[in-house]
Amino acid sequence: MHRPEPTLRLRIDRDALAANWRALDAMSGAAKAGAAVKANCYGLGVDACVPVLRDAGCTVFFVAHWSEVEAVARHVPSDQIAVLHGPLRGEDVDFAKPSGAVPVINSLEQARRWVSGGGQRCHLMVDTGINRLGVSPNDLGDPAVAALDIDVLMSHLANADEDSPMNARQLDRFRECLPLVAHRSASLANSAGIALGEEYAFDLTRPGLALYGGVPRSELAEKIGQVAHIEAAVLQTRQLSAGDAVGYNGEYVAQGPMRTGTVSLGYADGFLRARGPGNSLSVGDHALPLLGKVSMDMVIVDLSNAPEVREGDWLQVPMHLPDAARQSSVSQYELLTVLGSRLRL
Ligand SMILES: *Cc1c(COP(=O)(O)O)cnc(C)c1O
């Protein structure tokens, strides 16, 4: 049976995605850009995004969980997939070896588990100050580290999106680690780190957010284009009179006669409460202010600026990430990663 057209749609601008990767690769100087594709490419979909990144020239793909390997491996060789959380249990090692994906080793325990399980090539995360995952620099002389076959030695910046003295401190600490461990290449910068300058790039950079249109630092604003475009259909239009209340708890009350539209967009689609009142959808150049609360699967907009809008028409959901984040105080990471599965049907 033919599935009817949805009332909510996500369009991935594949040209913008490829251009973003190329821009970040170019900003990485002599280093090559990889791609963080964890969390289903930050909500935009592995099947839509990974082939584009591969065809643009990317050859290293980072996921967080072992459960994410299979979907990415449909599009790229599995030895190009790195698993950031590493092997937490013996069964992760058992899975890793036949899968061909490469763990990022984050602790001496993980190092021992990987080697004793017969693991070979791996990456090593060293902690230079984020205190999240990674082997302490003081432990790099441990025999468990010496036993590893390390491809990429990496660390992760905690404050790259700010002008913090922490950035230079982490850079120095990372440089001090390099002679202590045998490795084939080195990697420090995420999206924001790439904008800190080429000395942060080493051999491989690891952009995520900026690939998908995020702008964590102003230096990237001119180079990064919007990738995700979301449109939602008007399910119904209504004529209100003065005193009529809108949506759950009637938080908006019409001051006079007005026309509203009820739109197919809600929490399950990733449209959070903080994106409600004070924000707008749009049609063409017209802003359509949101009225009252998000009502589960629907929002209600003021159609005063757009008398031509009818049931079934498509409205644009703001997804220019830096602007939408400023407007709603939802972070750019959240705006993407909470996108619901109905958008990718
Ligand atoms: C998620 C992640 C990245 C990508 O970070 P962005 O800020 O999204 O560019 C890079 N490296 C590691 C270790 C990560 O966990």
Side-chain angles (χ1 to χ4, degrees):
M1 228 182 339
H2 182 68
R3 187 197 283 156
E5 190 186 7
T7 55
L8 183 62
R9 59 193 186 193
L10 167 68
R11 182 173 65 80
I12 304 296
D13 184 336
R14 290 171 167 77
D15 294 337
L17 176 61
N20 289 346
W21 184 82
R22 280 192 227 103
L24 292 159
D25 187 55
M27 285 182 84
S28 301
K32 187 112 175 94
V37 298
K38 60 199 181 192
N40 202 15
C41 286
Y42 289 43
L44 299 188
V46 161
D47 291 338
C49 297
V50 169
V52 174
L53 295 166
R54 175 199 65 203
D55 294 346
C58 183
T59 58
V60 188
F61 300 86
F62 295 91
V63 296
H65 292 236
W66 292 99
S67 59
E68 298 178 300
V69 169
E70 191 185 336
V72 178
R74 279 187 219 121
H75 304 290
V76 303
S78 58
D79 64 355
Q80 297 185 354
I81 304 173
V83 182
L84 289 162
H85 288 185
L88 182 67
R89 309 184 185 94
E91 63 185 298
D92 295 337
V93 179
D94 298 340
F95 176 86
K97 285 189 293 173
S99 83
V102 184
V104 177
I105 300 297
N106 292 293
S107 66
L108 295 179
E109 291 74 18
Q110 288 196 352
R112 290 186 205 104
R113 186 174 297 125
W114 181 242
V115 169
S116 69
Q120 297 184 347
R121 173 176 166 248
C122 65
H123 307 311
L124 183 72
M125 176 70 75
V126 51
D127 177 64
T128 54
I130 193 171
N131 283 303
R132 190 175 70 169
L133 290 176
V135 175
S136 158
N138 299 328
D139 287 335
L140 289 178
D142 194 282
V145 172
L148 296 171
D149 171 15
I150 299 168
D151 190 350
V152 183
L153 181 64
M154 62 177 84
S155 190
H156 193 61
L157 297 165
N159 300 61
D161 58 346
E162 307 174 293
D163 291 324
S164 160
M166 189 65 181
N167 293 323
R169 212 176 302 145
Q170 284 195 267
L171 177 62
D172 287 343
R173 283 188 197 149
F174 187 54
R175 283 193 178 125
E176 287 163 15
C177 292
L178 297 180
L180 305 180
V181 202
H183 61 279
R184 290 188 276 279
S185 62
S187 174
L188 178 62
N190 60 346
S191 301
I194 292 170
L196 292 176
E198 287 186 20
E199 73 266 36
Y200 285 80
F202 294 88
D203 304 307
L204 172 73
T205 57
R206 307 188 306 269
L209 182 69
L211 293 172
Y212 311 110
V215 180
R217 290 186 66 93
S218 58
E219 296 90 334
L220 293 168
E222 298 300 311
K223 311 207 178 220
I224 295 300
Q226 182 174 342
V227 173
H229 297 264
I230 295 177
E231 293 184 307
V234 176
L235 300 171
Q236 195 166 99
T237 61
R238 305 181 76 84
Q239 186 63 44
L240 305 190
S241 308
D244 285 345
V246 169
Y248 283 126
N249 311 107
E251 286 193 359
Y252 180 84
V253 178
Q255 300 302 299
M258 67 187 293
R259 206 164 146 264
T260 62
T262 305
V263 183
S264 175
L265 177 69
Y267 296 131
D269 310 307
F271 202 79
L272 306 178
R273 176 173 288 229
R275 301 194 70 189
N279 296 270
S280 299
L281 306 187
S282 61
V283 63
D285 293 335
H286 302 296
L288 309 175
L290 287 150
L291 305 175
K293 289 181 172 174
V294 177
S295 289
M296 183 61 189
D297 290 310
M298 288 167 272
V299 294
I300 295 161
V301 293
D302 181 351
L303 290 179
S304 306
N305 290 333
E308 72 288 357
V309 167
R310 299 279 174 271
E311 288 174 11
D313 285 356
W314 293 97
L315 307 183
Q316 283 84 47
V317 181
M319 285 302 288
H320 182 272
L321 297 175
D323 288 352
R326 244 188 316 273
Q327 181 68 26
S328 64
S329 72
V330 176
S331 83
Q332 297 183 57
Y333 292 94
E334 292 169 289
L335 287 170
L336 289 177
T337 54
V338 295
L339 293 180
S341 56
R342 284 192 295 220
L343 282 152
R344 290 182 300 272
L345 290 177

